Amino acid sequence: MANAPKNLDVVHLTQALITRPSVTPVDAGAMDTVQQVLESLGFTCTRLKFGEIENLYARRGTSAPNLCFAGHTDVVPSGVRNLWRYDPFGAEIHDGAVIGRGAVDMKGGVAAWIAAVSRHDDLSGSQKGSLSFLITGDEEGVATDGTIRVVEWLKDQGEIIDHCIVGEPSSSAQLGDMIKVGRRGSVNATFTVTGKQGHVAYPQRALNPLPVLVDLLGALKARMLDDGYDQFPPSNLEITTIDTGNTATNIIPQDARARINIRFNPAHTGAQLCAWFDEVAAQFAAKTGAQIEVKSTISGEAFLTEASTFVDLIANVIKDTLGLDTDRSTTGGTSDARFIRALCPVVEFGLVGQTMHQINECVAVADLEALTDTYSALIEAYFSKFGSSS
């Protein structure tokens, strides 16, 4: 693909990516497809493999500012095959939509930005700058060998990214109706309470871990974490599992476990919440005599990309191209934006996410084409605003 044509077909590129069954951590050639197209467009590509994960950083141009597009080529499993109307990796078009796993999350978004870039020559003249791509194969997995490792590599290389667009399916019901300017943090904790097994008829000879665990969870749930934060909803704690593995009816179990998750706004840090878990566990252990072990994992910290010329530029392009006043949101789960924000201001803007991770995931052809047009307008507007004069 040494001489790729201008105006790459976004639909064909989306189909080419979907037909690569790149279920995390398997790449299945998806990154090769991206690299071949980008090299044909004049990008210098660096493949970065960490563990089993294929990653790619590509750049065209050497001057500032550097506008980066970040995305992922890995997808979640397709689920039960016979529930799909069509092959989840066949990328067939039916009723005006491309059907397949990853269509909106987020191979369609990757294809749309690449197609938009194909409309722009190397930046020259009075407006200068660079375009880059940060593409990972580990967004849908544990995210330990993906974007977070590439960000570390970029820092080590002294590579500067000035602003970043993450192509996650941020739109809610209509293309462009929502962008993400921040995300809540996420922390998981597992509590294991160890008591003493015994016969239910002789509770004085045992120490039942279940009431201890239930009371501990009740204390955690009773705390009002906050009543919200600027542009964020209140933080919430959810109990996601409780179990003992006890199959007998006449045994007080030896131990019991529970797991919780907190989605938190910038009123907290992950470290503060983990310290709180340890404090509450120690209090209940001292009061009951049970042993309580806590294992906590911080998946990401809360962040907000403050109102700025960059955020306004994206909103204005959406208004001019799609005719919508976009909602600047912080809702949803975590994304790789939580790692990229260590480098530069980051905003998520992509396709409508209503079918992501679902059976029969699909993207409207019209949305792919409209997103490509909007991305193209965004690239032009960005370098007109931020491009350095020669």
Side-chain angles (χ1 to χ4, degrees):
M1 304 179 68
N3 296 299
K6 295 277 188 72
N7 301 326
L8 287 173
D9 189 314
V10 64
V11 176
H12 290 168
L13 185 51
T14 299
Q15 290 176 298
L17 289 171
I18 291 173
T19 58
R20 302 294 190 178
S22 51
V23 177
T24 322
V26 176
D27 174 67
M31 205 67 73
D32 289 339
T33 300
V34 172
Q35 180 175 349
Q36 290 167 11
V37 175
L38 291 183
E39 287 180 341
S40 73
L41 294 173
F43 283 80
T44 298
C45 296
T46 303
R47 291 288 283 270
L48 300 162
K49 187 169 185 177
F50 301 113
E52 298 180 90
I53 302 300
E54 294 285 352
N55 303 283
L56 179 146
Y57 179 71
R59 179 166 176 166
R60 190 177 74 186
T62 57
S63 61
N66 179 6
L67 175 62
C68 182
F69 176 87
H72 62 92
T73 52
D74 64 317
V75 297
V76 297
S78 60
V80 181
R81 172 63 185 86
N82 61 12
L83 294 180
W84 284 75
R85 293 180 60 194
Y86 308 99
D87 181 354
F89 298 106
E92 298 179 40
I93 298 178
H94 295 276
D95 300 322
V98 182
I99 300 169
R101 178 57 80 225
V104 294
D105 191 14
M106 58 168 286
K107 291 180 174 181
V110 171
W113 189 271
I114 294 174
V117 168
S118 75
R119 302 178 182 180
H120 297 266
D121 290 328
D122 287 338
L123 300 167
S124 59
S126 61
Q127 304 300 330
K128 295 183 180 295
S130 302
L131 287 164
S132 59
F133 285 80
L134 192 170
I135 308 296
T136 183
D138 192 31
E139 200 276 343
E140 301 290 8
V142 295
T144 56
D145 287 322
T147 298
I148 189 170
R149 296 287 301 275
V150 179
V151 167
E152 293 170 354
W153 180 84
L154 290 169
K155 289 180 178 179
D156 290 342
Q157 298 296 311
E159 182 77 359
I160 302 298
I161 295 175
D162 294 280
H163 298 92
C164 183
I165 301 290
V166 177
E168 286 287 347
S170 64
S171 301
S172 178
Q174 183 179 356
L175 180 66
D177 63 2
M178 181 179 291
I179 60 176
K180 299 292 177 71
V181 295
R183 291 278 191 164
R184 293 188 295 172
S186 177
V187 60
N188 293 288
T190 300
F191 296 84
T192 301
V193 180
T194 301
K196 182 179 179 181
Q197 183 173 311
H199 197 294
V200 294
Y202 301 95
Q204 69 278 14
R205 300 175 183 173
L207 198 170
N208 195 332
L210 281 165
V212 179
L213 182 60
V214 169
D215 290 345
L216 186 155
L217 294 173
L220 294 173
K221 283 290 291 181
R223 175 184 170 185
M224 180 179 177
L225 293 168
D226 55 70
D227 58 2
Y229 191 89
D230 183 33
Q231 294 188 255
F232 285 84
S235 302
N236 64 291
L237 182 154
E238 301 301 329
I239 301 168
T240 57
T241 186
I242 302 174
D243 83 277
T244 65
N246 185 10
T247 59
T249 60
N250 58 353
I251 290 178
I252 292 172
Q254 177 78 6
D255 52 47
R257 292 161 298 283
R259 186 170 62 244
I260 66 170
N261 175 271
I262 295 181
R263 296 301 169 103
F264 58 95
N265 60 43
H268 312 272
T269 67
Q272 290 170 343
L273 292 170
C274 291
W276 174 51
F277 301 153
D278 292 337
E279 178 185 350
V280 174
Q283 291 172 355
F284 274 85
K287 181 169 60 175
T288 65
Q291 296 180 8
I292 305 178
E293 179 185 48
V294 185
K295 292 184 177 180
S296 303
T297 304
I298 302 169
S299 300
E301 298 287 352
F303 75 93
L304 175 67
T305 299
E306 302 286 351
S308 65
T309 303
F310 175 59
V311 177
D312 288 344
L313 182 143
I314 296 170
N316 291 337
V317 167
I318 291 172
K319 176 69 172 180
D320 293 343
T321 308
L322 300 172
L324 296 175
D325 293 313
T326 193
D327 180 17
R328 306 179 189 199
S329 173
T330 60
T331 59
T334 59
S335 76
D336 279 358
R338 69 191 190 272
F339 306 127
I340 298 167
R341 61 111 177 194
L343 297 176
C344 64
V346 56
V347 173
E348 299 174 48
F349 168 42
L351 292 162
V352 177
Q354 290 189 354
T355 65
M356 62 180 173
H357 293 204
Q358 294 185 8
I359 300 295
N360 298 319
E361 180 179 352
C362 61
V363 59
V365 169
D367 278 0
L368 285 173
E369 293 171 344
L371 182 62
T372 302
D373 291 341
T374 309
Y375 279 166
S376 179
L378 178 55
I379 292 169
E380 182 175 353
Y382 178 85
F383 289 105
S384 293
K385 185 70 176 180
F386 295 103
S388 55
S389 299
S390 57

